[in-house]
Amino acid sequence: MKKNIAIIGYGGMGWWHGDYLKKSDVCNLLGVWDINPDRLVIARNEGINTYSSLEELLGDDRLDIVTVATPNDIHKELIIKVLESGKNAISEKPVTLCSEDLQEMFDASNRTGKLFTVHQNRRWDCDFLAMKQVYESGVLGEVFNIESRVHGSRGIPGDWRGMKQYGGGMMLDWGVHIIDQMLLMVPSKIKKVYCQFDHVTNYEVDDGFRLTLNFENGVRAYLEVGTSNFINLPRWYMQGENGTAVINDFSCEGKIVCVENWDEKDVVPVRTAAGLTKTMAPRKDDTIKTHEIPQITSDVHDFYRNVAKAVDGIESQLITHPQLMRVMKLMEACAKSDETGMPVDFE
Ligand code: NAD
């Protein structure tokens, strides 16, 4: 049976949830609440019922699930209220600002026996799923380096995302997505974390970062969020002992190049200002083979399908509490590394 659902916070992302939930195959959207009356007018004009207060929403006994899509600093307070009103709760990412707050949210979920999860929707991005498949397929041989970058050139958005008190900053905004993806891709403990934050357009919060993770299984991952990149580097770059894979953008355009004949090292040297080099010359075509990037279809609305089934106890929730805590603690380790200028031991 379909689950009755409401949304708290009807801004950009609240609108996204509402647009989907109006036509969802697993949920009925009963209404939205936002502290800004203008947003309620917009919702009503779009044919969505609105609540007159948070209390009215929390008191609606028909509701099974509430999604919170407000600025980051008030996720914790609102999620705990939702759980204590006897409803299952979904928070937008980042779930909250620190691991102590996250533990309080888990405690509320355990105390009330209600499901609590987070909309980590970039687990359904086809670029991520394609690269995860490349990693798992073994086509590159032993993988030793994975680079994941997201680049923009418009600085940090000028809203609450630029302010610390609201939980702004690019680590919490985009970092939480690409860290979550990397931890899902590489099934290994992390030994060391080294991170540096950027402050090109904003000094209060980070407007980008560069992060290196050393996994116990030998993989090194490099993650980068930038908002002052007028030339984008590829979204993904992965190296194994037998090949290299690249995905250039969110549309999954890219390729995999593998060595066919490792011992055939004869190349045409390239000329540099200092003379000829064979070491840095490209391989001859007959010693390599190019493969396509796997084309993956995914449906981000499987998130809600999973939550609806998890509420009924038919499936386990996909975005789990231990995963959420691991990402949160890793972001805290990043802040410590940036502050001290040193790598930090992890796990
Ligand atoms: P936004 O500023 O566009 O919208 C936030 C809305 O929350 C506003 O309408 C505001 O009036 C309302 N609000 C603020 N305090 C409230 C309160 N106490 N009670 C009720 N409403 C309140 O921001 P946004 O871009 O929609 O981001 C909202 C959340 O969604 C953030 O946590 C953000 O990180 C997340 N987000 C996630 C994705 C994703 O891909 N998963 C994308 C964008 C944003």
Side-chain angles (χ1 to χ4, degrees):
M1 210 172 66
K2 281 190 174 185
K3 303 290 164 218
N4 288 330
I5 189 160
I7 302 166
I8 301 177
Y10 195 65
M13 203 56 196
W15 181 91
W16 185 95
H17 285 279
D19 188 51
Y20 160 65
L21 289 167
K22 277 195 280 190
K23 44 193 187 252
S24 166
D25 49 0
V26 292
C27 294
N28 289 318
L29 178 60
L30 295 199
V32 304
W33 161 245
D34 195 294
I35 45 164
N36 179 350
D38 295 344
R39 298 302 306 171
L40 296 177
V41 171
I42 290 171
R44 282 196 292 274
N45 287 343
E46 289 167 347
I48 296 176
N49 174 51
T50 57
Y51 291 93
S52 59
S53 64
L54 176 64
E55 290 66 35
E56 193 198 0
L57 182 152
L58 295 176
D60 186 345
D61 291 335
R62 299 169 303 162
L63 288 173
D64 301 298
I65 307 171
V66 176
T67 294
V68 171
T70 60
N72 304 337
D73 60 310
I74 44 166
H75 290 174
K76 179 184 99 168
E77 180 190 323
L78 290 168
I79 289 289
I80 292 176
K81 282 186 176 163
V82 168
L83 292 166
E84 286 182 340
S85 75
K87 295 157 185 67
N88 302 288
I90 297 170
S91 172
E92 255 307 339
K93 50 51 60 176
V95 55
T96 187
L97 310 187
C98 65
S99 52
E100 288 81 13
D101 286 359
L102 182 54
Q103 190 56 52
E104 282 184 48
M105 297 163 97
F106 292 162
D107 291 346
S109 169
N110 294 335
R111 194 168 59 240
T112 58
K114 291 291 159 187
L115 177 145
F116 163 51
T117 192
V118 177
H119 189 231
Q120 289 293 159
N121 52 335
R122 292 201 174 274
R123 289 193 186 188
W124 282 268
D125 279 8
C126 63
D127 58 274
F128 160 63
L129 292 170
M131 219 34 156
K132 186 164 179 285
Q133 189 166 311
V134 171
Y135 178 82
E136 288 166 356
S137 71
V139 64
L140 303 181
E142 191 84 21
V143 170
F144 60 90
N145 183 49
I146 309 174
E147 299 175 23
S148 168
R149 294 180 172 84
V150 284
H151 285 165
S153 58
R154 302 176 64 232
I156 194 164
D159 57 7
W160 55 266
R161 283 175 177 77
M163 291 181 251
K164 201 172 175 60
Q165 69 178 109
Y166 297 108
M170 279 294 128
M171 172 58 79
L172 286 169
D173 197 49
W174 267 91
V176 72
H177 282 303
I178 68 169
I179 289 174
D180 182 60
Q181 291 177 338
M182 193 61 80
L183 299 194
L184 283 178
M185 189 180 302
V186 185
S188 172
K189 286 188 174 173
I190 295 166
K191 288 195 299 186
K192 288 229 182 276
V193 174
Y194 180 57
C195 187
Q196 288 177 299
F197 290 157
D198 289 335
H199 294 279
V200 183
T201 57
N202 188 306
Y203 291 95
E204 195 174 320
V205 295
D206 71 285
D207 55 13
F209 65 85
R210 287 144 210 275
L211 163 63
T212 303
L213 302 176
N214 291 106
F215 286 92
E216 226 169 60
N217 68 356
V219 172
R220 182 188 54 211
Y222 177 79
L223 294 83
E224 190 180 303
V225 172
T227 53
S228 300
N229 297 74
F230 299 92
I231 300 171
N232 285 10
L233 289 173
R235 171 74 188 86
W236 293 95
Y237 185 79
M238 187 183 287
Q239 291 168 279
E241 286 171 346
N242 296 330
T244 304
V246 67
I247 293 182
N248 289 314
D249 49 33
F250 293 114
S251 75
C252 288
E253 187 273 317
K255 63 182 175 182
I256 301 167
V257 176
C258 291
V259 66
E260 284 278 282
N261 181 355
W262 182 254
D263 295 327
E264 174 52 70
K265 294 201 163 86
D266 193 25
V267 290
V268 179
V270 285
R271 181 171 298 283
T272 72
L276 296 176
T277 173
K278 277 188 165 187
T279 312
M280 296 305 161
R283 274 183 165 272
K284 283 184 170 173
D285 283 350
D286 58 359
T287 71
I288 52 173
K289 185 162 185 190
T290 301
H291 307 270
E292 306 261 311
I293 292 290
Q295 291 304 304
I296 310 268
T297 48
S298 71
D299 184 355
V300 67
H301 300 316
D302 284 344
F303 171 79
Y304 272 108
R305 295 188 186 107
N306 168 253
V307 173
K309 285 189 177 151
V311 166
D312 283 338
I314 300 167
E315 272 183 16
S316 302
Q317 71 187 68
L318 282 174
I319 289 140
T320 68
H321 292 191
Q323 290 169 345
L324 293 165
M325 186 56 92
R326 190 171 182 228
V327 172
M328 184 57 72
K329 291 211 160 154
L330 183 49
M331 291 195 294
E332 289 175 341
C334 291
K336 189 170 165 203
S337 173
D338 176 70
E339 201 181 301
T340 58
M342 299 293 289
V344 170
D345 289 332
F346 195 69
E347 299 181 328

